[in-house]
Amino acid sequence: MKKNIVLFFAIIFLVHSYASVQAKETANVTKILDMKQAMDQHGVILKKWSVYTKGSAGFTLDVNGYRQKAALLKKAAKGYKWNAINEQEHLKMSGVRFSEAGSIKERLTLVAYPQKGKLATYLVYAVEGRSWNKNQFQQFARSFQSRVATYFEGKTATFSCVTGVHSDTMDVGLYKQALELMTTFSAVPVEELKEETFVSISAYTKHWDEKLNTAHKAMNLQIAIRNQGMGGQTAVTIGTPIITSEY
């Protein structure tokens, strides 16, 4: 009887832990909706959104162990077209697949490199959506958590990012525009970089639980704005907790 009670609570704990991880992954993706809404409020047209998840795939003794991990990943990830890139310093395998509409691109990358006489491996799952289709994004968001659970074994870190353009002549300077976007998230600035044609602000908002601890303070939001020259568009990028794509 006592063993049954212990087993019952162990199962409850595992289910709760799994649900917490799933909820966290869903929240990481749906932050894109918050960033899209902020862009809408400030007249920025979203051109691309992306989600970047990475995690350790553990250690393996040799190349054969890496190949076994690669084979298991291929079996779990259906519909990908794979390419192997073996370099002197590390082993790398990458697979790509597209949604039926062709607007969402998924890429899985498995990398192994020497560490302490073994091969350390890590996995990256990168998703990119061109333009904006709310229905397609929501469909992807619903499946994202199960895909992460399928591809990854342990802890993961997820980064979300949106990129857009402001085609009209901006009434305010780049820095003021970045501050206005930041206040949309009720965020406070942590670090900033100001140049004539480029501005970047790192900030912290209490609305999101995840954060990165820098040398100064915690941050979980980054905004970058670049002026692309006379008569050109203004590029706006928003990322959480940081921007992973090029500005």
Side-chain angles (χ1 to χ4, degrees), residues 43 166-170 232 234:
H166 204 304
S167 56
D168 298 331
T169 302
M170 298 179 67
T234 301

Side-chain angles (χ1 to χ4, degrees), residues 88-238:
Q88 291 183 350
E89 297 182 357
H90 62 266
L91 303 170
K92 180 179 179 181
M93 181 187 75
S94 183
V96 176
R97 74 177 178 186
F98 292 87
S99 63
E100 292 182 3
S103 59
I104 298 179
K105 176 182 178 181
E106 298 174 82
R107 180 185 296 275
L108 277 168
T109 305
L110 180 66
V111 179
Y113 57 93
Q115 188 178 91
K116 297 180 180 179
K118 298 181 180 180
L119 286 177
T121 61
Y122 67 90
L123 180 64
V124 175
Y125 176 44
V127 184
E128 182 180 291
R130 293 287 180 177
S131 68
W132 179 254
N133 185 305
K134 186 176 180 180
N135 291 333
Q136 290 181 15
F137 172 79
Q138 289 179 334
Q139 183 178 359
F140 160 75
R142 287 193 293 268
S143 62
F144 175 77
Q145 58 190 29
S146 63
R147 293 178 187 181
V148 170
T150 299
Y151 303 150
F152 294 88
E153 297 178 4
K155 294 181 179 179
T156 58
T158 298
F159 304 81
S160 301
C161 185
V162 295
T163 301
V165 294
H166 204 304
S167 56
D168 298 331
T169 302
M170 298 179 67
D171 297 329
V172 298
L174 299 183
Y175 181 65
K176 187 174 181 181
Q177 175 75 1
L179 287 178
E180 289 178 355
L181 276 168
M182 185 189 68
T183 55
T184 305
F185 299 93
S186 301
V188 293
V190 176
E191 296 176 343
E192 56 188 42
L193 172 64
K194 292 190 288 184
E195 298 178 354
E196 185 177 352
T197 60
F198 176 75
V199 168
S200 174
I201 296 181
S202 299
Y204 175 76
T205 174
K206 293 182 180 178
H207 292 324
W208 296 337
D209 295 332
E210 291 75 20
K211 61 184 179 181
L212 290 179
N213 292 315
T214 68
H216 302 282
K217 294 180 180 179
M219 61 169 286
N220 56 8
L221 172 67
Q222 195 170 32
I223 297 170
I225 302 180
R226 183 181 294 279
N227 189 324
Q228 298 181 333
M230 186 68 69
Q233 296 176 323
T234 301
V236 179
T237 305
I238 306 174

Side-chain angles (χ1 to χ4, degrees), residues 6-96:
V6 172
L7 179 60
F8 171 78
F9 282 106
I11 293 173
I12 292 296
F13 173 77
L14 290 174
V15 170
H16 180 267
S17 299
Y18 179 76
S20 298
V21 171
Q22 299 289 69
K24 177 183 175 182
E25 295 298 348
T26 303
N28 283 327
V29 175
T30 54
K31 287 174 186 175
I32 289 177
L33 296 175
D34 296 336
M35 294 185 280
K36 169 67 167 59
Q37 185 178 13
M39 283 190 165
D40 291 343
Q41 292 178 10
H42 293 271
V44 180
I45 302 171
L46 189 148
K47 291 295 184 180
K48 182 178 73 174
W49 59 266
S50 60
V51 180
Y52 177 94
T53 301
K54 64 178 183 177
S56 171
F59 287 87
T60 184
L61 293 176
D62 50 28
V63 175
N64 288 331
Y66 167 79
R67 289 172 180 166
Q68 290 176 6
K69 286 181 177 289
L72 289 173
L73 180 61
K74 286 181 178 180
K75 186 177 181 180
K78 305 295 184 181
Y80 284 80
K81 293 185 177 180
W82 298 93
N83 288 310
I85 306 171
N86 297 334
E87 301 182 358
Q88 291 183 350
E89 297 182 357
H90 62 266
L91 303 170
K92 180 179 179 181
M93 181 187 75
S94 183
V96 176

